[in-house]
C-alpha cells in the first residue's frame, strides 16, 4: 500500500464523512470560527462595542477571511 499524497491527506481531512482526528479537529475549528464570526457580527452592531473594539473586529474579520479562503482553496485543490 502506497503512502497517501499530500493532496489525498488534505482531502481526507476536509471530507467530513471520513473518521479521522484531523478531519474532526478541522471541522470543529471551522464550526467554532463560524460561531465566533456570528457573535462578532452581532456585537459589532452595538455602537459601544463597535467603537471600543474596532481594531479587534477588523483584525478578526481579516483572520477569518484568510482561514475561510485557505479552506476553500484546499477544497478546490483536492476536488476530483
Amino acid at each position: 500500500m502506497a503512502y497517501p499524497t499530500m493532496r489525498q491527506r488534505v482531502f481526507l481531512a476536509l471530507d467530513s464523512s471520513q473518521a479521522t482526528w484531523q478531519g474532526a479537529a478541522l471541522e470543529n475549528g471551522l464550526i467554532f470560527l463560524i460561531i465566533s464570526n456570528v457573535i462578532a457580527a452581532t456585537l459589532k452592531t452595538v455602537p459601544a462595542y463597535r467603537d471600543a473594539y474596532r481594531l479587534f473586529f477588523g483584525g478578526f474579520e481579516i483572520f477569518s477571511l484568510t482561514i475561510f479562503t485557505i479552506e476553500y482553496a484546499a477544497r478546490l485543490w483536492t476536488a476530483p
Side-chain angles (χ1 to χ4, degrees):
M1 183 169 119
Y3 190 73
T5 64
M6 174 66 105
R7 186 175 175 188
Q8 291 168 331
R9 288 185 296 194
V10 171
F11 176 80
L12 291 174
L14 291 172
D15 186 16
S16 62
S17 69
Q18 302 294 323
T20 64
W21 69 268
Q22 296 98 336
L26 182 62
E27 187 173 342
N28 290 334
L30 288 172
I31 290 170
F32 177 76
L33 190 57
I34 291 167
I35 292 170
S36 298
N37 271 284
V38 170
I39 293 169
T42 304
L43 290 175
K44 209 161 111 171
T45 63
V46 178
Y49 290 133
R50 182 181 57 234
D51 296 339
Y53 299 105
R54 182 179 307 270
L55 188 60
F56 171 77
F57 287 134
F60 184 66
E61 202 171 310
I62 291 170
F63 171 77
S64 298
L65 181 63
T66 303
I67 297 299
F68 291 136
T69 302
I70 291 169
E71 182 223 356
Y72 184 69
R75 288 185 185 277
L76 288 177
W77 178 56
T78 62

